Amino acid sequence: GNAGTINGSINIGGASFFAAGTGHLNLTNSQVSVSAAAAAASAAAVNIGRSGMGTANLDASSITVTDGTASKGSVYVGRDAGSNGTLTLNNGSTVNAGFVGVGVSAPGTGNAPAGTGGTGQLNIGNGIGQSAVHASRVEVGAGGTVNVNAGGTLNISSLGSTNTVPPLSSSVYVAQQANSTGTLVLGNLTTPGATLQADFVGIGVNVKAVANGGTLVQSNGGAGTLVLNNSTVNTKHFELGANSLL
């Protein structure tokens, strides 16, 4: 294709032109950068389980996805319906992207929910060092699970900004779609101490509540679960939907 019009991508477990299949990616002491020119028709993407089964294990490594000028690239884990993806970050590994979707096929827009995806699991932390995901938006779909363990941070913020006040544009949705389920686990019973940072955290809601005649009206989504094991949520706005559990 013409320079500046084609997006960069890595596909583990199926691709848009070669469906299904099984793929594995293991990185140790490595750095991977995927980018697209600012004029590209679509942003760069890393797909772990695009249409088939994909796993990626990062050990003291990093993946950065950008559009050439800003961190607007995407990372999907279990992207298409029927797919299965697992991404594990250990020993100080990091993922830097504009959007991270676990079990979703596309980001939600405004009040519209994320596109229905496959089965995805994102595991952050374990081992030596601080493993982290830095993204502007993270969405967890019906078949998605995120586990943030001790030494792990899911930082929904500007790229690389840790321990800062969450920006207004950042958000985390768990079970956003109606009739969906999703789970976000911070810490575990043996190694607690994880941190989630975001402007908005919605567990089982479709969109942030809006004011109607002085009363906040909630828009419920699916059945989400947030599990806190001696861990911390730093957020400006938190909502737990009618069918969800903390």
Side-chain angles (χ1 to χ4, degrees), residues 133-136 138 153-158 160-167 170-172 186 194-201 232-236:
V133 170
H134 303 295
S136 296
V138 173
T153 298
L154 178 57
N155 180 43
I156 299 79
S157 178
S158 58
S161 62
T162 58
N163 299 318
T164 60
V165 176
S170 63
S171 56
V172 174
L186 299 183
T195 301
L196 166 66
Q197 298 184 147
D199 168 69
F200 173 67
V201 176
T232 302
V233 174
N234 294 325
T235 183
K236 295 178 182 177

Side-chain angles (χ1 to χ4, degrees), residues 61-86:
S61 300
S62 67
I63 293 178
T64 299
V65 192
T66 73
D67 70 348
T69 59
S71 302
K72 295 182 180 178
S74 299
V75 173
Y76 292 93
V77 184
R79 183 169 184 176
D80 294 344
S83 67
N84 192 310
T86 302

Side-chain angles (χ1 to χ4, degrees), residues 26-200:
N26 296 308
L27 297 177
T28 302
N29 296 318
S30 302
Q31 291 75 45
V32 173
S33 179
V34 182
S35 62
S42 58
V46 170
N47 298 293
I48 311 299
R50 172 64 189 260
S51 56
M53 179 176 293
T55 61
N57 298 296
L58 277 61
D59 185 354
S61 300
S62 67
I63 293 178
T64 299
V65 192
T66 73
D67 70 348
T69 59
S71 302
K72 295 182 180 178
S74 299
V75 173
Y76 292 93
V77 184
R79 183 169 184 176
D80 294 344
S83 67
N84 192 310
T86 302
L87 172 59
T88 301
L89 311 179
N90 289 328
N91 294 314
S93 295
T94 58
V95 166
N96 305 306
F99 173 76
V100 174
V102 183
V104 299
S105 62
T109 303
N111 292 351
T116 302
T119 300
Q121 181 166 306
L122 172 61
N123 305 308
I124 308 170
N126 274 330
I128 301 172
Q130 185 81 12
S131 295
V133 170
H134 303 295
S136 296
R137 184 181 178 94
V138 173
E139 295 190 35
V140 184
T145 301
V146 178
N147 297 296
V148 185
N149 300 309
T153 298
L154 178 57
N155 180 43
I156 299 79
S157 178
S158 58
L159 177 62
S161 62
T162 58
N163 299 318
T164 60
V165 176
L168 291 175
S169 61
S170 63
S171 56
V172 174
Y173 288 93
V174 178
Q176 185 184 29
Q177 307 103 310
N179 302 315
S180 70
T181 60
T183 302
L184 172 60
V185 179
L186 299 183
N188 58 55
L189 295 179
T190 57
T191 55
T195 301
L196 166 66
Q197 298 184 147
D199 168 69
F200 173 67

